[in-house]
Amino acid sequence: MKKSLLHKPRIVRIEKVRNESNTVKSIVFKDRLCASVKPGQFSMIWIPIYDEIPMSLSLDPKSKLPMIVVKNIGEATNALHELNIGDSIGIRGPYGTSFNTGSAKRILLIAGGTGIIPLLQIAMESNQREYKCDIILGAKNIEEILFYEDLKSADCTLYPVTEDGSLGKQGLVIDLIKKSLKSDYDVLMCCGPEPMIKSIIDVARKTNIGLQVSLERIMKCGIGICGSCELSGFRVCKDGPVFDLKELNAMYNVLGNLKRNHSGKVIDFNTK
Amino acid sequence: MRRKEDIEQMEPDLSIEILGLKLKNPLILASGILGISGSLLKRMAEVGAGAVTTKSTGPSSREGFKGPVVVEVEDGLLNSLGLPNPGVSEMVKELDEAKKGKVPVIFSIYGFDINEYCKAAKIASDAGVDAIELNISCPHVKEVSVEIGQDPKLVSEIVKSVKETVDKPVIVKLSPNVSDIVSIAKVVEESGADAVTAINTVKAMSIDIDIKKPVLSNRIGGLSGPAIKPIGLRCVYEIFEKVKIPIIGCGGVSRWSDVIEYMLAGASAVQIGTALVNEDTAIFEKMKKGIKKYMLDKNIGEISSIVGLAHTK
């Protein structure tokens, strides 16, 4: 009998492609393992000829099938944007740690831009779960707010924030949090730009509220052995991508300051 | 009632001495596994590695290949990362952190010619590494598909030049992709190397039948994991018969009994890499526990006493 190979890409057929914004597409596919993805986990997506890249996994709010949500930022993501229904991609995973709702009753989800993707499932499932979610949904402008209609239909309270005020409050996510964070949350779950995450760590440290954050670094193997995604001695692919406050405290000085490039060289976080 | 001294005597001694270095146990983190980062090397020491090896580093930085760079195959893992590394001058900056793990740090270097090896070895040596391991499985730049390790004359020149350049212990990690690994090991010994590691990964490939293309972006990669253990073991056994310098066993060491097998074949220590995929960082303590139990069962006081026992008539 042949064992199934967990770390070999499974070739899946694309069932649906949907524009979420001018630069963001959802790609929906069928896959047994990915159907049981836990929120925050990721997959390695193989686009034959181009590359294999890490992508947050989620479930399509409409079809409930697994999906990746792709912002077009480079060669591989551009190739993903060219794909249509019926095309094939390779996938391994789900990999990594997930957001843990545990016994939480009140959760605040904080998303900056595409940061909503790993949090989406928590929001969409809240009507079948013990917890109640509020969501701060931040972006540059209304055009970059993702899954707004889906989230409105979920059993959550939505607080949109845009830098230009085109939807919801005008300003930054962190301004809203500093101004109006209620102390009755059990946990904050967060994904977005690292400076935002750092400010949220600062806020969380002053409260008794738990914090879980999804982070991002260059990943190559995805299975915890190559070290490309190392961050303060943690592997984002295996020890993360979702980290808790204790871990975040240990990596605080590196967050938003340093990262490794493809060669492994430590460089300034803001280097393109 | 037992006296305290008796109890202490009963604790099996896992420590070994190799290359003039004292290791708390014979389990060395293999090159290419997490060794791009000093903090991760330190962490591997803290979870029980007896020594750690850096990622192979050359004189200048390389980004490595596009993905997929790893793919699982039956009983093994295939990889072709493409030697990503920040260049030796950057890599030595990781050493301070790595050394906080308080175990010897072996610095792996590669090059595309003799000068590159020497240049990298010099910088690593000056930065205070405990030993240098030469990765000779990288392609020879003049003949792209030929590994340096397949050319005995070139290997000999590299070892001699590096030994002249640095006064650190030099280990040569042998490629199994040769017709006679023993003769290469002999050349390496005669050229002045202090130890050999056997074996590096075995050239292999994987093709996806739906995409109808090789999975690795580099098409061909190196096979590691349980699939190559019998090959590594055979190489160590044969090298032990003909070569006097210490051998570090490598290739598919996945459980404690593999360590014993390699040591019986003639390895003074072993390297562990791919086993982390399944066992993660718990692997070192798990192996140590198994080895200790074996030593108690077999009444072995010092692990080093079993090295090469499979050869005695």
Side-chain angles (χ1 to χ4, degrees), chain B residues 64-111:
Chain B
F65 299 138
K66 291 203 161 175
V69 292
V70 297
V71 57
E72 190 181 2
V73 296
E74 289 75 10
D75 293 314
L77 191 76
L78 199 52
N79 88 81
S80 183
L81 271 295
L83 291 166
N85 78 96
V88 65
S89 306
E90 284 295 325
M91 192 66 201
V92 292
K93 294 180 187 167
E94 304 284 338
L95 283 174
D96 282 349
E97 197 61 27
K99 284 180 170 182
K100 290 182 189 164
K102 298 194 174 67
V103 303
V105 179
I106 301 165
F107 199 94
S108 171
I109 62 174
Y110 74 85

Coordinates of all heavy atoms in Angstrom, one line a residue, chain B residues 64-111:
Chain B
G64 N 18.9 31.7 -4.3 CA 18.4 30.3 -4.4 C 17.3 30.2 -5.5 O 17.0 31.2 -6.1
F65 N 16.8 29.0 -5.7 CA 15.8 28.8 -6.8 C 14.4 29.2 -6.4 O 14.1 29.3 -5.2 CB 15.9 27.3 -7.2 CG 17.2 26.8 -7.7 CD1 17.7 25.6 -7.3 CD2 18.0 27.6 -8.5 CE1 18.9 25.1 -7.7 CE2 19.2 27.2 -9.0 CZ 19.7 25.9 -8.6
K66 N 13.6 29.3 -7.4 CA 12.2 29.5 -7.1 C 11.6 28.2 -6.7 O 12.2 27.1 -6.9 CB 11.5 30.0 -8.4 CG 11.9 31.4 -8.8 CD 10.9 32.0 -9.7 CE 11.2 33.5 -9.6 NZ 10.4 34.3 -10.5
G67 N 10.4 28.2 -6.1 CA 9.7 27.0 -5.6 C 9.1 26.2 -6.8 O 9.0 26.8 -7.9
P68 N 8.7 25.0 -6.5 CA 9.0 24.2 -5.3 C 10.5 23.9 -5.1 O 11.1 23.5 -6.1 CB 8.2 23.0 -5.5 CG 7.2 23.3 -6.6 CD 7.8 24.3 -7.4
V69 N 10.9 24.1 -3.9 CA 12.3 23.8 -3.5 C 12.4 22.5 -2.7 O 13.5 21.9 -2.5 CB 13.0 24.9 -2.8 CG1 13.2 26.1 -3.7 CG2 12.3 25.3 -1.6
V70 N 11.2 22.0 -2.2 CA 11.2 20.7 -1.6 C 10.0 20.0 -2.0 O 8.9 20.6 -2.4 CB 11.1 20.8 0.0 CG1 12.4 21.5 0.6 CG2 9.9 21.5 0.5
V71 N 10.0 18.7 -2.0 CA 8.9 17.8 -2.3 C 9.1 16.5 -1.6 O 10.2 15.9 -1.7 CB 8.6 17.7 -3.8 CG1 9.8 17.1 -4.6 CG2 7.3 16.8 -4.0
E72 N 8.0 16.0 -1.0 CA 8.2 14.7 -0.3 C 8.1 13.6 -1.4 O 7.3 13.7 -2.4 CB 7.0 14.5 0.7 CG 7.2 13.3 1.6 CD 6.1 13.1 2.6 OE1 5.1 13.9 2.6 OE2 6.2 12.1 3.3
V73 N 8.9 12.5 -1.2 CA 8.8 11.4 -2.1 C 8.6 10.2 -1.1 O 8.7 10.3 0.1 CB 10.0 11.2 -3.0 CG1 10.1 12.4 -4.0 CG2 11.3 11.1 -2.2
E74 N 8.5 9.0 -1.7 CA 8.3 7.8 -0.8 C 9.5 7.7 0.1 O 10.7 7.6 -0.3 CB 8.2 6.5 -1.7 CG 6.9 6.4 -2.4 CD 6.8 7.3 -3.6 OE1 7.8 7.9 -4.0 OE2 5.7 7.4 -4.2
D75 N 9.3 7.7 1.4 CA 10.3 7.5 2.4 C 11.4 8.6 2.3 O 12.6 8.3 2.8 CB 10.9 6.1 2.4 CG 9.9 5.1 2.8 OD1 9.2 5.4 3.9 OD2 9.7 4.1 2.1
G76 N 11.2 9.7 1.8 CA 12.2 10.7 1.7 C 11.8 12.1 1.4 O 10.6 12.3 1.2
L77 N 12.7 13.0 1.3 CA 12.4 14.3 0.9 C 13.5 14.7 -0.1 O 14.6 14.4 0.0 CB 12.6 15.2 2.2 CG 12.1 16.7 2.0 CD1 10.6 16.7 2.0 CD2 12.6 17.6 3.1
L78 N 12.9 15.4 -1.1 CA 13.8 15.8 -2.2 C 13.9 17.3 -2.1 O 12.9 18.0 -1.9 CB 13.1 15.4 -3.5 CG 13.8 15.4 -4.8 CD1 15.0 14.5 -4.7 CD2 12.8 14.8 -5.8
N79 N 15.1 17.9 -2.2 CA 15.2 19.3 -2.1 C 16.2 19.9 -3.1 O 17.2 19.2 -3.5 CB 15.6 19.8 -0.7 CG 17.1 19.8 -0.5 OD1 17.8 20.8 -0.9 ND2 17.6 18.8 0.1
S80 N 15.9 21.1 -3.6 CA 16.9 21.8 -4.3 C 16.6 23.3 -4.1 O 15.9 24.0 -4.8 CB 16.8 21.5 -5.8 OG 17.8 22.2 -6.5
L81 N 17.2 23.7 -3.0 CA 17.0 25.1 -2.6 C 17.8 26.1 -3.4 O 17.5 27.2 -3.6 CB 17.5 25.3 -1.1 CG 16.5 25.1 0.1 CD1 15.4 26.1 0.1 CD2 15.9 23.7 0.2
G82 N 18.9 25.5 -4.0 CA 19.8 26.4 -4.8 C 20.8 27.2 -4.1 O 21.2 28.3 -4.4
L83 N 21.3 26.6 -2.9 CA 22.3 27.2 -2.1 C 22.0 28.7 -1.7 O 22.9 29.6 -1.9 CB 23.7 27.1 -2.8 CG 24.3 25.7 -2.9 CD1 25.5 25.8 -3.9 CD2 24.7 25.2 -1.5
P84 N 20.8 29.0 -1.3 CA 20.6 30.4 -0.9 C 21.4 30.7 0.3 O 21.6 29.8 1.2 CB 19.1 30.4 -0.5 CG 18.7 29.0 -0.1 CD 19.6 28.2 -1.0
N85 N 22.1 31.8 0.3 CA 22.9 32.2 1.5 C 23.3 33.6 1.3 O 23.4 34.2 0.2 CB 24.1 31.3 1.7 CG 25.2 31.7 0.7 OD1 26.1 32.4 1.1 ND2 25.1 31.3 -0.5
P86 N 23.5 34.3 2.5 CA 23.7 35.8 2.4 C 25.2 36.1 2.1 O 25.5 37.3 2.1 CB 23.3 36.2 3.8 CG 23.6 35.1 4.7 CD 23.4 33.8 3.8
G87 N 26.0 35.1 1.9 CA 27.4 35.4 1.7 C 28.1 35.3 3.0 O 27.6 35.6 4.1
V88 N 29.4 34.8 3.0 CA 30.0 34.4 4.2 C 30.2 35.6 5.2 O 30.1 35.5 6.4 CB 31.4 33.7 3.9 CG1 32.4 34.6 3.2 CG2 32.0 33.1 5.2
S89 N 30.5 36.8 4.6 CA 30.7 38.0 5.5 C 29.4 38.3 6.3 O 29.5 38.8 7.4 CB 31.1 39.2 4.7 OG 32.2 38.9 3.9
E90 N 28.2 38.1 5.7 CA 27.0 38.3 6.4 C 26.7 37.1 7.3 O 26.2 37.3 8.5 CB 25.8 38.4 5.4 CG 25.7 39.7 4.7 CD 25.4 40.9 5.6 OE1 24.7 40.7 6.6 OE2 25.9 42.0 5.4
M91 N 27.0 35.9 6.9 CA 26.6 34.7 7.6 C 27.4 34.7 9.0 O 26.8 34.2 10.0 CB 27.0 33.5 6.8 CG 26.4 32.2 7.3 SD 24.6 32.2 7.3 CE 24.4 30.9 8.5
V92 N 28.6 35.1 9.0 CA 29.4 35.1 10.2 C 28.8 36.0 11.3 O 29.0 35.7 12.5 CB 30.9 35.4 10.0 CG1 31.6 34.3 9.2 CG2 31.1 36.8 9.4
K93 N 27.9 36.9 10.9 CA 27.2 37.7 11.9 C 26.2 36.9 12.7 O 25.8 37.3 13.8 CB 26.5 38.9 11.2 CG 27.4 39.9 10.5 CD 26.6 41.0 9.8 CE 27.5 41.9 9.0 NZ 26.6 42.7 8.1
E94 N 25.9 35.7 12.2 CA 24.9 34.9 12.9 C 25.7 34.1 14.0 O 25.0 33.5 14.9 CB 24.3 33.9 12.0 CG 23.5 34.5 10.8 CD 22.2 35.1 11.2 OE1 21.6 34.8 12.2 OE2 21.7 36.0 10.4
L95 N 27.0 34.1 14.0 CA 27.7 33.2 14.9 C 27.6 33.6 16.4 O 27.5 32.7 17.2 CB 29.2 33.2 14.5 CG 29.6 32.4 13.3 CD1 31.0 32.6 12.9 CD2 29.3 30.9 13.5
D96 N 27.6 34.8 16.7 CA 27.5 35.2 18.1 C 26.3 34.6 18.7 O 26.3 34.1 19.8 CB 27.4 36.8 18.2 CG 28.8 37.4 18.1 OD1 29.8 36.6 18.1 OD2 28.9 38.6 18.0
E97 N 25.2 34.7 18.0 CA 23.9 34.2 18.5 C 24.0 32.6 18.6 O 23.6 32.0 19.6 CB 22.8 34.6 17.6 CG 21.4 34.5 18.2 CD 21.1 35.3 19.5 OE1 21.8 36.4 19.7 OE2 20.3 34.9 20.3
A98 N 24.5 32.0 17.5 CA 24.6 30.6 17.5 C 25.4 30.0 18.6 O 25.1 29.0 19.2 CB 25.2 30.1 16.1
K99 N 26.5 30.7 19.0 CA 27.4 30.3 20.0 C 26.8 30.3 21.4 O 27.2 29.6 22.3 CB 28.7 31.1 20.1 CG 29.6 30.7 18.9 CD 30.8 31.6 19.0 CE 31.9 31.1 18.1 NZ 33.1 31.9 18.2
K100 N 25.7 31.1 21.6 CA 25.0 31.1 22.8 C 24.4 29.8 23.2 O 24.0 29.5 24.3 CB 23.9 32.2 22.9 CG 24.5 33.6 22.9 CD 23.4 34.7 22.9 CE 24.0 36.1 22.7 NZ 22.9 37.0 22.4
G101 N 24.3 28.9 22.2 CA 23.8 27.6 22.4 C 24.8 26.7 23.2 O 24.4 25.6 23.6
K102 N 26.0 27.2 23.3 CA 27.1 26.5 24.0 C 27.4 25.1 23.5 O 27.7 24.2 24.3 CB 26.7 26.4 25.5 CG 26.6 27.8 26.2 CD 26.6 27.7 27.7 CE 26.7 29.1 28.3 NZ 25.4 29.9 28.1
V103 N 27.2 24.9 22.2 CA 27.7 23.7 21.6 C 28.6 24.1 20.4 O 28.5 25.2 19.9 CB 26.6 22.7 21.1 CG1 25.6 22.4 22.2 CG2 25.8 23.3 19.9
P104 N 29.5 23.2 20.0 CA 30.4 23.6 18.8 C 29.5 24.0 17.6 O 28.5 23.3 17.3 CB 31.2 22.3 18.6 CG 31.2 21.6 19.9 CD 29.9 21.9 20.5
V105 N 30.0 25.0 16.9 CA 29.3 25.4 15.7 C 30.3 25.1 14.5 O 31.4 25.5 14.4 CB 29.1 26.9 15.7 CG1 28.4 27.4 14.4 CG2 28.2 27.3 16.9
I106 N 29.7 24.2 13.6 CA 30.5 23.8 12.4 C 30.0 24.8 11.3 O 28.8 24.9 11.1 CB 30.2 22.4 12.1 CG1 30.6 21.5 13.2 CG2 30.9 22.0 10.8 CD1 30.1 20.0 13.2
F107 N 30.9 25.3 10.6 CA 30.5 26.3 9.5 C 30.7 25.6 8.2 O 31.8 25.2 7.8 CB 31.4 27.5 9.6 CG 30.9 28.7 8.9 CD1 30.1 29.7 9.6 CD2 31.1 28.9 7.5 CE1 29.6 30.8 9.0 CE2 30.6 30.0 6.9 CZ 29.9 31.0 7.6
S108 N 29.6 25.4 7.5 CA 29.6 24.8 6.2 C 29.9 25.8 5.0 O 29.2 26.8 5.0 CB 28.3 24.0 5.9 OG 28.2 23.6 4.6
I109 N 30.8 25.5 4.2 CA 31.1 26.3 3.1 C 31.0 25.6 1.8 O 31.3 24.4 1.7 CB 32.4 27.1 3.2 CG1 33.6 26.1 3.3 CG2 32.5 28.0 4.4 CD1 34.9 26.8 3.2
Y110 N 30.7 26.3 0.7 CA 30.8 25.8 -0.6 C 31.5 26.8 -1.5 O 31.7 27.9 -1.1 CB 29.4 25.5 -1.2 CG 28.7 26.8 -1.6 CD1 28.9 27.3 -2.9 CD2 27.8 27.4 -0.7 CE1 28.3 28.5 -3.2 CE2 27.2 28.6 -1.1 CZ 27.4 29.2 -2.4 OH 26.8 30.4 -2.7
G111 N 31.9 26.3 -2.7 CA 32.5 27.3 -3.6 C 32.3 26.7 -5.0 O 32.0 25.5 -5.2

